[in-house]
Amino acid sequence: MAEDQRITRIKNLVGGFPDFPKPGILFRDIFPVLRNPGAFKELINVVVEHVQKTAPDVEIIVGLDSRGFIFGPMVAHALGIGFVPVRKSGKLPGETISVAYSLEYGKDRFEMQKDSLKADQKVIIIDDLIATGGTMAAACELVGLLKANIVQCFVVIELEDLNGKSKLSAPFKSLIKYSNSDQTI
Ligand SMILES: O=P(O)(O)OC[C@H]1O[C@H](OP(=O)(O)OP(=O)(O)O)[C@H](O)[C@@H]1O
Ligand SMILES: Nc1ncnc2[nH]cnc12
Protein backbone atom coordinates (compact mmCIF):
# COMPACT_ATOMS: atom_id res chain seq x y z
CA MET A 1 0.00 0.00 0.00
CA ALA A 2 1.28 3.54 -0.80
CA GLU A 3 2.45 5.62 2.17
CA ASP A 4 -0.39 8.16 1.73
CA GLN A 5 -3.04 5.44 1.88
CA ARG A 6 -1.46 3.94 4.98
CA ILE A 7 -1.41 7.35 6.68
CA THR A 8 -5.08 7.99 5.80
CA ARG A 9 -6.03 4.61 7.26
CA ILE A 10 -4.18 5.45 10.48
CA LYS A 11 -5.67 8.97 10.66
CA ASN A 12 -9.18 7.55 10.39
CA LEU A 13 -8.60 5.54 13.58
CA VAL A 14 -7.33 8.45 15.73
CA GLY A 15 -10.00 9.49 18.26
CA GLY A 16 -11.19 13.07 18.89
CA PHE A 17 -12.54 14.12 22.30
CA PRO A 18 -13.78 17.71 22.78
CA ASP A 19 -13.17 19.35 26.17
CA PHE A 20 -10.63 16.79 27.42
CA PRO A 21 -8.70 17.10 29.72
CA LYS A 22 -9.93 20.71 30.04
CA PRO A 23 -12.69 22.79 28.43
CA GLY A 24 -11.64 24.04 24.99
CA ILE A 25 -9.10 21.28 24.30
CA LEU A 26 -9.83 18.86 21.46
CA PHE A 27 -7.91 15.76 22.51
CA ARG A 28 -6.53 13.59 19.67
CA ASP A 29 -6.30 10.03 20.98
CA ILE A 30 -3.71 7.74 19.36
CA PHE A 31 -4.68 4.64 21.38
CA PRO A 32 -7.42 3.35 19.00
CA VAL A 33 -4.64 2.94 16.39
CA LEU A 34 -2.72 0.69 18.78
CA ARG A 35 -5.85 -1.36 19.46
CA ASN A 36 -5.90 -2.31 15.78
CA PRO A 37 -2.97 -4.71 15.21
CA GLY A 38 -2.74 -4.10 11.44
CA ALA A 39 -2.78 -0.31 11.78
CA PHE A 40 -0.31 -0.37 14.68
CA LYS A 41 2.13 -2.45 12.64
CA GLU A 42 1.64 -0.21 9.61
CA LEU A 43 2.29 2.90 11.70
CA ILE A 44 5.58 1.55 13.05
CA ASN A 45 6.60 0.44 9.55
CA VAL A 46 5.87 3.90 8.09
CA VAL A 47 7.91 5.60 10.84
CA VAL A 48 10.84 3.19 10.45
CA GLU A 49 10.85 3.59 6.64
CA HIS A 50 10.74 7.38 7.03
CA VAL A 51 13.73 7.38 9.41
CA GLN A 52 15.70 5.02 7.16
CA LYS A 53 15.06 7.35 4.23
CA THR A 54 15.64 10.74 5.91
CA ALA A 55 18.20 10.00 8.64
CA PRO A 56 19.98 6.74 7.84
CA ASP A 57 22.91 7.68 10.08
CA VAL A 58 20.84 8.30 13.23
CA GLU A 59 22.60 6.77 16.24
CA ILE A 60 20.04 6.94 19.03
CA ILE A 61 16.32 7.60 19.58
CA VAL A 62 15.10 9.89 22.36
CA GLY A 63 11.44 9.39 23.38
CA LEU A 64 9.24 11.66 25.51
CA ASP A 65 7.34 10.62 28.63
CA SER A 66 4.90 9.00 28.27
CA ARG A 67 3.27 8.50 24.88
CA GLY A 68 6.64 8.87 23.16
CA PHE A 69 7.62 5.69 25.01
CA ILE A 70 5.17 3.74 22.85
CA PHE A 71 6.88 4.58 19.59
CA GLY A 72 10.49 5.49 20.40
CA PRO A 73 11.63 2.08 21.69
CA MET A 74 9.87 0.20 18.85
CA VAL A 75 11.55 2.36 16.23
CA ALA A 76 14.94 2.08 17.96
CA HIS A 77 14.54 -1.70 18.13
CA ALA A 78 13.61 -1.95 14.44
CA LEU A 79 16.64 0.17 13.49
CA GLY A 80 19.00 -1.73 15.79
CA ILE A 81 19.96 1.40 17.77
CA GLY A 82 19.52 2.49 21.41
CA PHE A 83 16.73 4.37 23.17
CA VAL A 84 16.98 7.14 25.78
CA PRO A 85 14.01 8.51 27.77
CA VAL A 86 13.12 12.09 28.63
CA ARG A 87 11.06 11.73 31.81
CA LYS A 88 8.80 13.92 33.88
CA SER A 89 10.57 15.10 37.03
CA GLY A 90 11.59 12.86 39.91
CA LYS A 91 11.58 9.58 37.98
CA LEU A 92 15.19 9.20 36.86
CA PRO A 93 17.99 8.13 39.24
CA GLY A 94 21.54 9.46 39.22
CA GLU A 95 22.68 12.86 38.01
CA THR A 96 20.06 14.60 35.91
CA ILE A 97 19.47 17.85 34.05
CA SER A 98 16.06 19.43 34.11
CA VAL A 99 13.91 22.03 32.35
CA ALA A 100 10.43 23.46 33.02
CA TYR A 101 7.94 23.83 30.16
CA SER A 102 4.31 24.57 29.26
CA LEU A 103 2.07 22.47 27.05
CA GLU A 104 -1.41 22.95 25.60
CA TYR A 105 -3.18 22.06 28.85
CA GLY A 106 -0.66 22.62 31.65
CA LYS A 107 2.91 22.91 32.88
CA ASP A 108 5.49 20.27 33.70
CA ARG A 109 9.18 19.53 34.13
CA PHE A 110 11.36 17.21 32.04
CA GLU A 111 14.60 15.48 33.00
CA MET A 112 17.35 13.46 31.36
CA GLN A 113 20.24 11.51 32.88
CA LYS A 114 23.48 13.43 32.39
CA ASP A 115 25.31 10.44 30.92
CA SER A 116 22.48 9.32 28.62
CA LEU A 117 23.82 10.91 25.41
CA LYS A 118 27.31 11.54 24.05
CA ALA A 119 28.49 14.84 22.56
CA ASP A 120 27.74 15.00 18.80
CA GLN A 121 25.69 11.78 18.90
CA LYS A 122 23.06 11.88 16.14
CA VAL A 123 19.62 11.89 17.76
CA ILE A 124 16.00 11.69 16.60
CA ILE A 125 13.47 12.85 19.20
CA ILE A 126 10.13 11.01 18.90
CA ASP A 127 6.76 11.80 20.45
CA ASP A 128 3.16 10.93 19.63
CA LEU A 129 1.95 14.50 19.11
CA ILE A 130 2.91 18.15 18.85
CA ALA A 131 0.41 20.84 19.88
CA THR A 132 1.96 24.12 21.13
CA GLY A 133 5.46 22.64 20.79
CA GLY A 134 6.38 23.39 24.43
CA THR A 135 7.08 19.72 25.15
CA MET A 136 9.24 19.08 22.08
CA ALA A 137 11.12 22.38 22.57
CA ALA A 138 11.92 21.39 26.18
CA ALA A 139 13.23 18.02 25.00
CA CYS A 140 15.40 19.79 22.39
CA GLU A 141 16.77 22.06 25.11
CA LEU A 142 17.79 19.06 27.24
CA VAL A 143 19.36 17.19 24.32
CA GLY A 144 21.20 20.40 23.41
CA LEU A 145 22.53 20.76 26.97
CA LEU A 146 24.05 17.28 26.57
CA LYS A 147 25.64 18.55 23.30
CA ALA A 148 24.11 15.84 21.14
CA ASN A 149 23.15 16.58 17.53
CA ILE A 150 19.38 16.64 16.85
CA VAL A 151 18.98 15.38 13.29
CA GLN A 152 15.17 15.37 13.48
CA CYS A 153 12.16 15.93 15.73
CA PHE A 154 9.47 13.44 14.75
CA VAL A 155 5.82 13.19 15.83
CA VAL A 156 2.99 10.99 14.63
CA ILE A 157 0.34 13.76 14.97
CA GLU A 158 0.69 17.51 14.40
CA LEU A 159 -2.01 20.00 15.44
CA GLU A 160 -1.14 22.47 12.71
CA ASP A 161 -3.13 25.48 13.92
CA LEU A 162 -1.06 25.64 17.12
CA ASN A 163 2.14 25.98 15.03
CA GLY A 164 4.30 24.06 17.51
CA LYS A 165 7.03 23.51 14.95
CA SER A 166 7.82 27.25 15.03
CA LYS A 167 9.39 26.68 18.47
CA LEU A 168 11.91 24.19 17.02
CA SER A 169 15.17 24.88 15.26
CA ALA A 170 15.92 21.24 14.32
CA PRO A 171 14.36 19.61 11.21
CA PHE A 172 10.76 18.58 11.95
CA LYS A 173 8.50 15.88 10.50
CA SER A 174 4.94 14.80 11.28
CA LEU A 175 2.94 11.98 9.69
CA ILE A 176 -0.65 13.03 10.36
CA LYS A 177 -1.80 16.66 10.40
CA TYR A 178 -4.97 18.08 11.92
CA SER A 179 -6.33 21.58 11.54
CA ASN A 180 -9.41 23.17 13.12
CA SER A 181 -11.38 22.42 9.96
CA ASP A 182 -10.91 18.65 10.47
CA GLN A 183 -13.88 16.76 11.85
CA THR A 184 -14.00 16.44 15.63
CA ILE A 185 -14.48 12.69 15.69
O1 LIG B 1 3.01 20.41 22.06
P1 LIG B 1 2.55 20.51 23.47
O2 LIG B 1 1.49 21.55 23.69
O3 LIG B 1 3.70 20.71 24.40
O4 LIG B 1 1.86 19.14 23.83
C1 LIG B 1 2.30 17.88 23.37
C2 LIG B 1 2.51 16.90 24.47
O5 LIG B 1 1.31 16.69 25.23
C3 LIG B 1 1.12 15.29 25.42
O6 LIG B 1 1.81 14.84 26.54
P2 LIG B 1 1.30 14.89 28.06
O7 LIG B 1 2.17 15.86 28.80
O8 LIG B 1 -0.16 15.06 28.13
O9 LIG B 1 1.77 13.50 28.64
P3 LIG B 1 1.44 11.98 28.34
O10 LIG B 1 2.18 11.63 27.08
O11 LIG B 1 1.99 11.33 29.54
O12 LIG B 1 -0.05 11.81 28.18
C4 LIG B 1 1.71 14.70 24.17
O13 LIG B 1 2.01 13.32 24.34
C5 LIG B 1 2.92 15.55 23.92
O14 LIG B 1 4.05 15.08 24.63
N1 LIG C 1 -5.02 18.25 21.80
C1 LIG C 1 -4.22 17.28 22.27
N2 LIG C 1 -4.55 15.97 22.09
C2 LIG C 1 -3.74 14.99 22.57
N3 LIG C 1 -2.60 15.22 23.23
C3 LIG C 1 -2.25 16.50 23.43
N4 LIG C 1 -1.16 17.05 24.01
C4 LIG C 1 -1.30 18.38 23.94
N5 LIG C 1 -2.41 18.73 23.31
C5 LIG C 1 -3.03 17.56 22.97
Side-chain angles (χ1 to χ4, degrees):
M1 207 190 284
E3 181 174 304
D4 278 2
Q5 282 173 288
R6 289 192 289 175
I7 291 170
T8 304
R9 182 168 120 95
I10 294 161
K11 182 171 179 175
N12 287 335
L13 290 168
V14 172
F17 292 87
D19 299 321
F20 180 88
K22 290 184 174 168
I25 305 291
L26 172 49
F27 191 88
R28 299 290 181 184
D29 182 18
I30 191 80
F31 286 118
V33 178
L34 277 61
R35 236 178 262 153
N36 180 312
F40 187 18
K41 192 169 187 171
E42 223 155 55
L43 173 56
I44 299 299
N45 287 344
V46 172
V47 181
V48 169
E49 286 164 27
H50 163 75
V51 172
Q52 283 168 332
K53 223 185 296 169
T54 59
D57 56 350
V58 59
E59 294 171 298
I60 196 145
I61 301 291
V62 167
L64 310 190
D65 194 350
S66 63
R67 283 175 262 157
F69 293 176
I70 300 161
F71 304 103
M74 296 198 77
V75 172
H77 178 75
L79 295 169
I81 61 178
F83 173 80
V84 164
V86 171
R87 291 221 65 186
K88 290 181 181 165
S89 61
K91 303 284 186 182
L92 287 171
E95 278 198 83
T96 57
I97 53 169
S98 147
V99 67
Y101 66 94
S102 302
L103 68 152
E104 195 187 9
Y105 40 67
K107 288 182 196 305
D108 224 314
R109 203 165 182 92
F110 261 168
E111 291 181 356
M112 290 184 84
Q113 288 169 312
K114 263 190 179 167
D115 61 357
S116 61
L117 295 174
K118 299 188 185 78
D120 299 322
Q121 204 169 15
K122 294 188 186 70
V123 171
I124 294 186
I125 306 176
I126 295 188
D127 203 1
D128 68 318
L129 179 144
I130 190 167
T132 64
T135 304
M136 187 57 89
C140 290
E141 192 179 335
L142 288 175
V143 171
L145 286 169
L146 297 179
K147 302 194 177 348
N149 173 11
I150 306 170
V151 296
Q152 194 172 126
C153 298
F154 180 91
V155 296
V156 178
I157 298 171
E158 176 183 4
L159 308 185
E160 278 190 310
D161 298 307
L162 295 171
N163 199 21
K165 66 182 167 209
S166 67
K167 290 200 174 77
L168 311 175
S169 50
F172 170 78
K173 167 76 181 178
S174 64
L175 274 192
I176 298 169
K177 298 174 207 319
Y178 283 98
S179 63
N180 288 340
S181 53
D182 274 294
Q183 272 193 316
T184 307
I185 41 175

